[in-house]
Amino acid sequence: MLTNFDKELLNLIQTRLPLESRPFAIVAKLLEVDENTVIERLSWLKDHGYIRRFGAFFDSTYLGYVSTLAAAKVCPEQMAEVAQAVNAYAGVTHNYERDGEYNLWFTLLTANQLEQDQVLATIGSLPGVEALISLPAIEKYKVSVAFNL
């Protein structure tokens, strides 16, 4: 169960984490606690599944990377194995099983188009993958999301 302090901490770091050499010291001052308390609570929240990922978001296109949303038609009997193989790629940021003909959807970020093509070809040739389509973005629309706890 989240404490009131946890909620305050999570609300603050979503939108106001300072770009400083010791950001948690500044967060601690804002919350009127010591830096170690902030670090320990964030660690606990991550260990207990309240935080999945902690890090910056970068404009990958600006940095030269290519990305795509991919959809695979996977035999249900081999879904777990295929999903595990997809998750093994460092560039996979999301991977979801869905209802429908194309039942495994994932996002892939790679250093260049050749690498993306190779990864998708490898995934497409996995046992149980009947079809795979790549749906690269034509236009990006970013929405800022913060969850008020």
Side-chain angles (χ1 to χ4, degrees):
M1 188 65 129
L2 292 177
T3 66
N4 286 336
F5 177 80
D6 294 335
K7 292 175 185 179
E8 282 184 75
L9 174 60
L10 291 171
N11 285 337
L12 195 149
I13 66 168
Q14 287 182 79
T15 57
R16 294 178 43 210
L17 185 66
L19 293 174
E20 302 285 339
S21 60
R22 293 184 55 204
F24 301 126
I26 295 169
V27 168
K29 277 187 182 178
L30 292 170
L31 295 173
E32 300 178 352
V33 296
D34 62 276
E35 181 181 21
N36 207 35
T37 298
V38 169
I39 293 169
E40 287 175 1
R41 286 314 296 165
L42 289 172
S43 180
W44 186 91
L45 290 164
K46 183 155 184 359
D47 290 346
H48 288 84
Y50 290 97
I51 299 173
R52 183 181 68 186
R53 179 186 180 280
F54 191 90
F57 284 97
F58 298 97
D59 184 336
S60 57
T61 304
Y62 184 76
L63 296 173
Y65 289 85
V66 294
S67 64
T68 191
L69 171 65
K73 188 189 311 183
V74 180
C75 296
E77 307 80 40
Q78 291 172 293
M79 180 63 74
E81 293 84 5
V82 172
Q84 185 175 18
V86 169
N87 288 343
Y89 289 96
V92 171
T93 59
H94 298 81
N95 186 7
Y96 298 97
E97 183 177 355
R98 305 237 178 206
D99 291 331
E101 183 178 2
Y102 284 84
N103 53 357
L104 187 70
W105 292 73
F106 59 93
T107 56
L108 176 64
L109 181 69
T110 55
N112 55 58
Q113 190 62 51
L114 178 62
E115 182 184 355
Q116 183 183 99
D117 294 343
Q118 290 170 338
V119 170
L120 292 175
T122 301
I123 292 171
S125 68
L126 290 171
V129 177
E130 298 173 356
L132 181 96
I133 56 175
S134 176
L135 304 161
I138 295 169
E139 183 74 32
K140 288 186 180 181
Y141 302 96
K142 282 298 202 183
V143 176
S144 179
V145 176
F147 299 98
N148 188 21
L149 303 173

